[in-house]
Amino acid sequence: MNAVRVLLVDDQELMRQGLRKLLEIEEGIEVVGEAADGVVALAVVGETRPDVALVDARMPRMDGVELITRLTVEHPSVAAIVLSTFDEDDYIFGALRGGAVGYLLKDCSPDELVAAIRQASRGETVLSNPVAARLVANLRREPVDGAFPGQELLSARELEVARMVAAGAANREIAARLFITEGTVKNHVSSMLRKLGLRDRTQLALRLTGR
């Protein structure tokens, strides 16, 4: 199995060195490059060909949100994870809407970080517990009755499921409330993601709430 190739993007050299030392001892992970800001990262990503980019949220010249948005368009094969000390809504929602597959806080454990890199390389979404809690809390407060882009592509049942996803409901809760099986819920979610061109249920929830 090929090693997961990682690009480190952080304006603090000490942080980059620490991350490199942490990851270099992990089997199956290879640090292929570093960048001190988003401008440099975009310049080297073609040469380093990373699978995963660990991106700081706040950097000079080009911050993490702008970088991730650019990466999603210009280098869609790169899975971007924000690794930041900031858990502010603008950064969290901006990064996720921009195409980030994860958002971790810098106080996460080494094991959590390594696991997140492996998950991201498989296309899975990874959120630290505080970030996930904030995301769900914000989604539950957002009205989800209005129209949203692509709504016309969904069936009435899919729309029901979509609005419950946007409210933070899990598959089991949706199944119980709609008197259908969890498998049927999963099928509806997969169908909606395909129709709307979205990666996962997090992006679906963000689409519905207009975040």
Side-chain angles (χ1 to χ4, degrees):
M1 182 180 295
N2 294 331
V4 178
R5 299 168 61 84
V6 179
L7 174 66
L8 306 176
V9 189
D10 196 297
D11 61 333
Q12 296 181 3
E13 184 176 358
L14 189 63
M15 175 59 68
R16 296 198 308 272
Q17 288 182 1
L19 288 171
R20 179 180 281 276
K21 291 188 177 188
L22 168 68
L23 297 176
E24 281 181 339
I25 63 174
E26 292 293 331
E27 185 177 354
I29 293 180
E30 178 186 1
V31 177
V32 295
E34 299 180 17
D37 58 48
V39 175
V40 176
L42 283 177
V44 303
V45 69
E47 305 166 10
T48 56
R49 295 178 294 107
D51 301 306
V52 175
L54 279 182
V55 179
D56 189 17
R58 186 176 292 180
M59 297 180 292
R61 297 207 295 172
M62 181 188 295
D63 68 12
V65 173
E66 184 179 352
L67 169 60
I68 288 167
T69 303
R70 292 278 300 273
L71 284 174
T72 300
V73 174
E74 299 172 26
H75 302 278
S77 64
V78 179
I81 302 174
V82 175
L83 182 62
S84 177
T85 55
F86 303 102
D87 62 350
E88 300 167 13
D89 286 355
D90 287 348
Y91 286 123
I92 295 172
F93 287 102
L96 293 174
R97 286 191 65 81
V101 302
Y103 200 110
L104 301 177
L105 300 181
K106 286 183 176 177
D107 62 358
C108 69
S109 71
D111 287 346
E112 288 175 316
L113 177 60
V114 170
I117 290 172
R118 298 191 195 282
Q119 288 175 269
S121 72
R122 299 192 296 266
E124 300 174 23
T125 298
V126 286
L127 302 173
S128 66
N129 287 337
V131 171
R134 176 168 293 207
L135 177 63
V136 170
N138 273 273
L139 293 177
R140 287 186 184 278
R141 288 200 298 268
E142 292 291 332
V144 293
D145 294 329
F148 58 90
Q151 177 175 320
E152 69 281 357
L153 300 174
L154 306 185
S155 68
R157 175 62 84 178
E158 287 174 341
L159 199 53
E160 279 186 290
V161 173
R163 296 198 188 286
M164 294 179 71
V165 168
N171 285 351
R172 180 177 298 180
E173 182 181 352
I174 296 172
R177 288 172 61 179
L178 296 181
F179 302 101
I180 56 179
T181 67
E182 285 189 61
T184 300
V185 175
K186 290 178 181 178
N187 289 339
H188 283 315
V189 172
S190 296
S191 173
M192 289 187 287
L193 296 180
R194 185 179 64 255
K195 290 179 179 179
L196 299 175
L198 302 175
R199 186 184 62 245
D200 53 38
R201 61 192 296 132
T202 300
Q203 287 196 332
L204 175 62
L206 293 171
R207 170 71 67 88
L208 263 72
T209 57
R211 296 299 301 233

